[in-house]
Amino acid sequence: VIGIGIGTYEGVADALLLEIQDRKQSVFITINHFFVTLGALMIAFYLIFLQMNWRRSMTQSAILVGVLAVLFFLQKSSITKTEQSTWLDRYRTIRKGKVVYILFFTAVCAVSTEILALGIIPSFLLELRGFDLVTSKIGLVVFLAGIASGRAGLGFVAKKEKLIGIITLLFGLGVVLSSVTYFVPMNETPVYVMLFIYGVNVSVIFPLIITLTGLKHPDMAGTAMSFIKFGIPIAGIISPLLFSFLSRYAGFPGALFIFPAANVIGFFLFIFNRKQIG
């Protein structure tokens, strides 16, 4: 139930922002995802330094969400309602286009690298870089700080007409940055620096894909964005299984090639389908 609630809030918030903002949509959607990351960063800090009381934190979070729900219930919308087609009709319209499938697969690539990184960075630092239990968790915090910083800043430079080029560039940089981060031996400080930069790189790819999807389907943005967001659970299931399979047969270092590979796939999907997406 908690998972359904979190997913629903995050998904509806992006569609809401696209509807109520007539410009700089990428900025607002990216900032929304920034606060999602900020929450994860706060939890990571609590786990490391404050020995978080999970029961108390769950109760406090539930109270805040309840207050937010009341505020939304009392809020009156100034948006003029128009007659809309049924969900099934909107889905059929979206399904006929090739663009939504391209964006879906690139979203899976983007989410996979982020989810896997959050899961394996402490183990990577422990096993391959000689970090201890505390410093390996600090490495994860540094990566999350990079994601938060990227989402707080990069959204402001992502102009609507440049979204395709920016996403393509970020996938290309992701190939280089992930390769350096995971395969070039470095001391502790350079590793932290690379984790932060890599976090900035991966931070806005998925939010910008979500924005691009909504802008490409303005009459049914919520439905199209929801379709793309199916990439989150898909990536969350497939990428860990693939990583586990590769770790078993190619070893932990060999499984790390999934990071540059995912960025390569996303890069070429945008390069070869630039006209259709645009």
Side-chain angles (χ1 to χ4, degrees):
V1 173
I2 291 172
I4 292 172
I6 293 172
T8 302
Y9 257 99
E10 186 179 347
V12 171
D14 284 340
L16 170 68
L17 289 170
L18 196 71
E19 185 172 348
I20 65 176
Q21 301 295 334
D22 56 359
R23 61 189 184 91
K24 295 184 178 181
Q25 294 93 337
S26 60
V27 174
F28 293 101
I29 290 178
T30 303
I31 289 176
N32 178 43
H33 285 259
F34 158 75
F35 282 106
V36 174
T37 308
L38 182 63
L41 187 61
M42 290 170 60
I43 293 299
F45 271 118
Y46 282 144
L47 287 173
I48 295 174
F49 300 110
L50 301 180
Q51 298 299 314
M52 181 187 64
N53 184 321
W54 66 267
R55 190 184 301 276
R56 183 182 300 170
S57 67
M58 290 290 289
T59 303
Q60 293 169 347
S61 299
I63 292 172
L64 289 174
V65 172
V67 172
L68 181 63
V70 172
L71 292 176
F72 270 109
F73 178 77
L74 297 175
Q75 182 69 29
K76 292 183 179 181
S77 175
S78 60
I79 301 170
T80 303
K81 293 185 178 180
T82 58
E83 187 175 348
Q84 295 185 341
S85 58
T86 65
W87 185 90
L88 185 59
D89 290 335
R90 296 196 299 272
Y91 172 73
R92 286 171 178 168
T93 301
I94 292 172
R95 189 182 60 180
K96 293 177 182 178
K98 181 182 177 182
V99 173
V100 72
Y101 294 105
I102 297 170
L103 294 174
F104 173 80
F105 285 116
T106 55
V108 170
C109 292
V111 174
S112 293
T113 57
E114 184 177 339
I115 289 177
L116 278 179
L118 293 174
I120 65 94
I121 281 177
S123 298
F124 161 73
L125 296 176
L126 279 169
E127 294 185 24
L128 301 180
R129 293 295 179 264
F131 284 48
D132 58 32
L133 287 173
V134 174
T135 54
S136 64
K137 290 181 179 179
I138 292 175
L140 178 60
V141 170
V142 170
F143 178 73
L144 282 168
I147 294 178
S149 300
R151 287 178 174 170
L154 290 182
F156 289 95
V157 300
K159 304 295 183 181
K160 184 188 304 184
E161 61 276 7
K162 296 181 179 179
L163 285 180
I164 297 174
I166 292 173
I167 295 171
T168 305
L169 176 63
L170 290 173
F171 270 125
L173 288 174
V175 178
V176 178
L177 293 174
S178 62
S179 299
V180 173
T181 301
Y182 292 116
F183 299 111
V184 176
M186 290 177 285
N187 295 325
E188 186 172 295
T189 301
V191 169
Y192 285 145
V193 172
M194 285 307 305
L195 285 172
F196 182 84
I197 296 173
Y198 184 47
V200 172
N201 172 257
V202 304
S203 63
V204 296
I205 299 179
F206 182 65
L208 292 184
I209 291 173
I210 290 292
T211 305
L212 183 60
T213 302
L215 294 174
K216 290 293 295 182
H217 304 87
D219 297 331
M220 51 190 75
T223 304
M225 294 164 76
S226 298
F227 184 86
I228 298 300
K229 287 204 170 189
F230 273 116
I232 298 176
I234 296 297
I237 295 171
I238 292 178
S239 56
L241 288 176
L242 180 59
F243 190 88
S244 177
F245 176 83
L246 292 174
S247 297
R248 181 175 181 181
Y249 293 101
F252 189 80
L256 293 173
F257 278 99
I258 194 173
F259 290 97
N263 282 287
V264 167
I265 293 171
F267 177 79
F268 281 111
L269 279 173
F270 265 87
I271 286 291
F272 292 140
N273 298 281
R274 191 181 185 88
K275 292 183 179 180
Q276 291 93 323
I277 299 174

